[in-house]
Amino acid sequence: MTDKKILSEPVDDLARRFASMIDDELFAAMEFLEQASEARQRQDLDEILSRIALAESEIERRFPGQLLLPYRDWKERNARL
C-alpha cells in the first residue's frame, strides 16, 4: 500500500485492508500515520488521528491485552537497523 493511499483511501476500505495486512505491514502503516500526524497542519490532523485509531484497534484486536506493546517492540527493533 502506498503511503498516499493510506491517507486518502476511504476509511471502510482502509479498515478491511488493515485486517488483511501482515503484522509488519500494519506496523509500518501505523508508523507512517504517526509521522504524518506530526507533519500535518491542523485541518488534516483529525483525519489522520482517526486512521491512527483504526490502526490501533487492529493491533489491539490481534494482540489482546497487550495494548500497543507489539508495535512499540517492532518500532524499537526497526530503529536499530
Side-chain angles (χ1 to χ4, degrees), residues 20-49:
S20 68
M21 289 179 174
I22 63 171
D23 294 343
D24 284 340
E25 291 172 324
L26 178 60
F27 295 157
M30 178 67 166
E31 183 175 49
F32 169 77
L33 287 167
E34 285 181 339
Q35 292 168 354
S37 73
E38 294 168 0
R40 294 295 173 169
Q41 296 176 355
R42 188 73 182 146
Q43 67 266 21
D44 296 332
L45 190 57
D46 289 339
E47 181 65 28
I48 293 169
L49 292 176

